[in-house]
Amino acid sequence: MSISFADRSDVGVEEVPSAPNAVEAILVLDDEPGMRTFIERTLASKFAHVETAADADEARALARKTRFDLMIADIRLPGAASGLELAREIRDRYQVDLDVIFITGYSDVYDEVDALRDTSADVLRKPFHAEQLLAVIKRAQDRRRAAREQFLRNREFEQRPSAKRIVGESESLKDIWRTIHRIAPMPSTVLIKGETGTGKELVARALHDLSGRRGSYVPVNCGAISADLIEGELFGHLKGAFTGAHQARNGLFSHADGGTLFLDEIGEMPLALQAKLLRVLEERRYRPVGGSQEIPVNARVITATNRDLAAEVLAGRFRKDLYYRINVVDLKLPPLRERKGDIEHLARYFLKVLSAELGVPTPELTSWDLQQLTRYDWPGNCRELRNVIERSLLLGNPVAQFLCESTLHPAEESTAGSPDSSLEAMQRSHIMNALAVAGGNKTVAARALGVSRKTVERKLKEWSDEGSAETAH
């Protein structure tokens, strides 16, 4: 039986799972007691939390204590602050993603124009029926959900890996598949371990898809965001929290509420932020940058790394308490060299998918192709295999011919004394060829190989050390 973890994106950008009820907590602000009572009675049985305030000071006090999704406010209020001004103040100071519905008993068109300049606002004229109010709230819910889903579509489209599935029949993959089915519905944190290109994000996606969680899957690569920006990216920030924060912004924890937050390459996370992440995992609450109020969150956290985190802990580069907190369940993905029997399945899958994407005929894999593919060590794992096949399709060469031209020299083949030395020679030739094509640029060569720059540097250092040892001998 073929094992595959699909992310349902073979034909385009994936459908993001529907968010839970986008409006749960509502703040009602009106100086008329009768209007407050009417709105509260209309909404109390339909929403989890409804609070009312008679003036701006009371509304501010409630906003400091509770995270509201929607505010229903009279445009004109007694006192210095108008409903418009107060809504903007609460958004900037406390609640970035607050939606607003303004109500008014006046026919002043200028009030309505000012309100409608706020793209998240609707205006409802008094008097109104309960059905009218509920219809306007429904529009706010739809708008909120659409904005959230569009954000996630854009982010996932930008960050989605090229490979769409993990495919194979090896016993190690079957064991992983059984484990995924067992732990997917649980809320526990999971640490996915494995070398670059083994499919860690696809496993994280499978855990989310099988979890039954109604919220969204939000991936973030901790190594791709600078240390100065990653805290705001995760937790969001308020307006003016730091230089350049001209407007408030939600963080990825907010977008993952009710769903899954995948922290890839967590070993790259700065130590100072590790302490804050540990607190979020323990307390299920986070604080935006520049904020004073903690916001509750229900997001399952899945992490991944290609580092040895236990060694990082001993070296003082990773917090011991965070390591034990994220390592409730660990999944170790085997490198491709340890499951050579899956290479044929992966190669056929990549040929089929990539030939369709490139608009070229799907070539056949010969026995010679498969022999050469299985002889290679694949330091970049599945990602490198995909890149080799894509290059062969682009250049019109058979896969094995392209691989041999890139990685093998006749002298190396004939003088190889053992399987290990042959594989090492192939790997060395492949990396050196990529460096030559890239003009010595390690970053470009690593990208072409489908591995990290650190992998290329590590192999070059190993070969340099070996050469030094031979010279000394």
Side-chain angles (χ1 to χ4, degrees):
M1 179 181 71
S2 178
I3 302 292
S4 65
F5 309 146
D7 71 357
R8 302 193 303 272
S9 58
D10 291 345
V11 294
V13 178
E14 171 193 297
E15 287 297 321
V16 177
S18 296
N21 189 359
V23 174
E24 298 288 349
I26 299 177
L27 173 61
V28 179
L29 172 60
D30 198 294
D31 60 317
E32 299 178 25
M35 180 57 66
R36 292 198 304 274
T37 301
F38 164 68
I39 295 176
E40 185 176 19
R41 287 178 177 174
T42 301
L43 304 182
S45 63
K46 297 176 174 61
F47 296 92
H49 190 71
V50 180
E51 294 275 6
T52 63
D55 55 44
D57 290 338
E58 194 175 348
R60 289 189 187 98
L62 289 169
R64 282 194 292 269
K65 296 187 297 181
T66 304
R67 181 175 182 268
F68 293 101
D69 304 304
L70 175 67
M71 180 178 179
I72 302 173
D74 196 343
I75 293 180
R76 295 190 180 183
L77 295 170
S82 69
L84 283 168
E85 293 167 342
L86 184 62
R88 290 166 185 159
E89 176 189 332
I90 290 176
R91 269 185 176 166
D92 290 341
R93 186 171 296 180
Y94 307 115
Q95 292 156 33
V96 176
D97 57 348
L98 181 71
D99 283 322
V100 183
I101 295 172
F102 292 109
I103 54 177
T104 181
Y106 297 89
S107 58
D108 190 337
V109 70
Y110 295 104
D111 280 347
E112 295 190 24
V113 168
D114 284 344
L116 290 171
R117 282 175 181 162
D118 186 326
T119 58
S120 296
D122 283 295
V123 178
L124 195 58
R125 285 178 171 273
K126 299 178 183 178
F128 50 82
H129 299 295
E131 292 78 9
Q132 292 174 288
L133 176 62
L134 293 174
V136 174
I137 293 176
K138 175 66 164 53
R139 284 204 300 272
Q141 286 180 304
D142 293 343
R143 186 168 55 239
R144 185 183 184 89
R145 183 179 294 112
R148 180 178 181 181
E149 293 179 356
Q150 186 59 49
F151 170 87
L152 292 166
R153 282 194 187 95
N154 292 342
R155 185 174 185 84
E156 288 193 42
F157 182 77
E158 292 167 0
Q159 297 194 357
R160 176 174 284 113
S162 299
K164 301 295 192 290
R165 297 180 181 178
I166 297 177
V167 177
E169 295 184 348
S170 62
E171 284 302 317
S172 57
L173 277 190
K174 291 178 182 178
D175 288 341
I176 291 169
W177 183 243
R178 285 190 286 267
T179 304
I180 287 172
H181 272 282
R182 182 178 180 84
I183 67 176
M186 311 299 181
S188 303
T189 54
V190 178
L191 174 61
I192 305 171
K193 303 174 183 177
E195 297 178 7
T196 297
T198 50
K200 296 186 291 293
E201 180 164 352
L202 300 181
V203 171
R205 179 76 218 208
L207 284 166
H208 172 75
D209 288 344
L210 295 169
S211 69
R213 299 182 72 86
R214 297 177 61 199
S216 299
Y217 169 80
V218 182
V220 56
N221 188 332
C222 299
I225 305 173
S226 71
D228 296 332
L229 299 177
I230 190 169
E231 182 178 358
E233 190 78 5
L234 289 177
F235 305 133
H237 60 77
L238 300 187
K239 182 179 179 180
F242 50 83
T243 303
H246 301 301
Q247 60 183 12
R249 180 183 177 189
N250 280 325
L252 297 177
F253 264 102
S254 172
H255 290 288
D257 195 21
T260 301
L261 181 66
F262 174 53
L263 299 176
D264 197 7
E265 302 305 343
I266 193 170
E268 306 287 343
M269 182 176 286
L271 276 169
L273 188 58
Q274 290 177 26
K276 296 181 180 181
L277 174 62
L278 176 65
R279 178 174 173 80
V280 175
L281 294 175
E282 296 286 356
E283 305 293 335
R284 296 287 177 181
R285 304 176 72 85
Y286 68 92
R287 182 178 299 172
V289 177
S292 59
Q293 304 298 312
E294 290 192 330
I295 298 173
V297 65
N298 175 27
R300 184 192 196 176
V301 175
I302 297 174
T303 61
T305 183
N306 60 9
R307 293 189 180 188
D308 182 348
L309 286 189
E312 294 292 298
V313 169
L314 292 176
R317 292 188 292 266
F318 200 85
R319 291 180 63 100
K320 182 189 293 186
D321 46 7
L322 179 59
Y323 173 66
Y324 289 126
R325 185 64 183 81
I326 64 175
N327 197 25
V328 176
V329 178
D330 70 59
L331 279 172
K332 182 168 178 57
L333 304 188
L336 193 53
R337 63 182 174 273
E338 293 179 7
R339 52 187 185 100
K340 291 291 185 77
D342 289 334
I343 290 176
E344 178 178 355
H345 303 287
L346 284 162
R348 293 189 187 282
Y349 171 74
F350 287 137
L351 281 171
K352 178 182 177 181
V353 171
L354 293 172
S355 60
E357 289 182 3
L358 298 172
V360 299
T362 304
E364 290 294 326
L365 277 178
T366 66
S367 58
W368 184 66
D369 289 323
L370 293 173
Q371 181 185 24
Q372 301 306 319
L373 291 174
T374 54
R375 289 183 62 190
Y376 182 54
D377 203 23
W378 300 108
N381 295 292
C382 304
R383 187 178 292 124
E384 186 184 3
L385 173 60
R386 179 200 181 279
N387 288 353
V388 165
I389 289 177
E390 183 171 7
R391 288 200 296 275
S392 74
L393 290 171
L394 288 170
L395 298 175
N397 294 337
V399 174
Q401 178 185 335
F402 181 84
L403 183 63
C404 289
E405 289 173 353
S406 301
T407 64
L408 295 176
H409 296 293
E412 290 172 343
E413 276 192 287
S414 61
T415 59
S418 67
D420 289 339
S421 64
S422 175
L423 289 173
E424 182 68 18
M426 292 161 61
Q427 186 182 101
R428 182 170 184 166
S429 179
H430 195 28
I431 291 176
M432 298 307 293
N433 180 74
L435 281 167
V437 172
N441 189 312
K442 297 174 186 175
T443 301
V444 174
R447 189 179 300 121
L449 291 166
V451 301
S452 68
R453 178 188 169 97
K454 290 181 180 178
T455 298
V456 174
E457 291 176 338
R458 175 171 56 81
K459 298 303 294 185
L460 291 174
K461 186 176 186 305
E462 287 176 6
W463 298 326
S464 175
D465 292 344
E466 288 172 4
S468 300
E470 290 173 3
T471 301
H473 181 72

